[in-house]
Amino acid sequence: MAGEPQSDCLFCKIVVGDVPATIVRETATTVAFRDINPQAPTHVLVIPKAHHTDAAALATEAPELAADVLRAAGEVAAQEKIDEAGYRVVFNTGAGAGQTVFHAHAHVLGGRGLEWPPG
Ligand code: 5GP
Ligand code: ZN
């Protein structure tokens, strides 16, 4: 069922502490932690604690939680001091776009020049 923890989900395991992560921010409904394979000087993943497979499912199944994730992404950017220079929030959606973990997550990327359009 949407929102329920999934025993085979890496990010559900990070939420409960079964898999360690470098957590930089936590709210009642979200967790933000450093990506294990950073693509920029600042690369933080912001996830809802509840399991939803991707951003679109999250927004459909739990719109207020989707807003919490976006708000937390902005708070992380400010905390990491990349907000003034500018940063990118990315939701890879589907394997063809590079999604490898099917628990919705926002990549918050900054601290270097960011090309547009992205690759
Ligand atoms: P996706 O490719 O699904 O958009 O993003 C998944 C992200 O999770 C990747 O950037 C990958 O580096 C990161 N990742 C995968 N396994 C782990 C892990 O065990 N810990 C952390 N902190 N990040 C992970
Ligand atoms: Zn999950």
Side-chain angles (χ1 to χ4, degrees):
M1 201 182 123
E4 296 297 317
Q6 301 292 305
S7 58
D8 58 347
C9 173
L10 174 65
F11 288 175
C12 284
K13 289 178 185 165
I14 286 178
V15 169
V16 296
D18 285 352
V19 169
T22 304
I23 292 172
V24 299
R25 189 171 187 84
E26 182 167 4
T27 69
T29 57
T30 70
V31 184
F33 53 93
R34 297 201 188 282
D35 196 292
I36 205 168
N37 181 24
Q39 301 303 311
T42 295
H43 187 173
V44 173
L45 302 175
V46 181
I47 67 171
K49 288 182 177 175
H51 181 94
H52 299 272
T53 55
D54 60 31
L58 171 64
T60 300
E61 292 158 2
E64 289 185 11
L65 185 53
D68 290 350
V69 170
L70 289 180
R71 189 181 314 109
E75 290 168 354
V76 164
Q79 184 178 313
E80 296 284 319
K81 299 185 172 29
I82 55 173
D83 52 332
E84 285 190 12
Y87 61 96
R88 192 163 288 158
V89 180
V90 175
F91 291 88
N92 293 327
T93 302
Q99 187 176 5
T100 57
V101 179
F102 289 82
H103 178 133
H105 52 281
H107 296 257
V108 179
L109 296 150
R112 63 165 168 81
L114 295 165
E115 305 268 319
W116 189 262

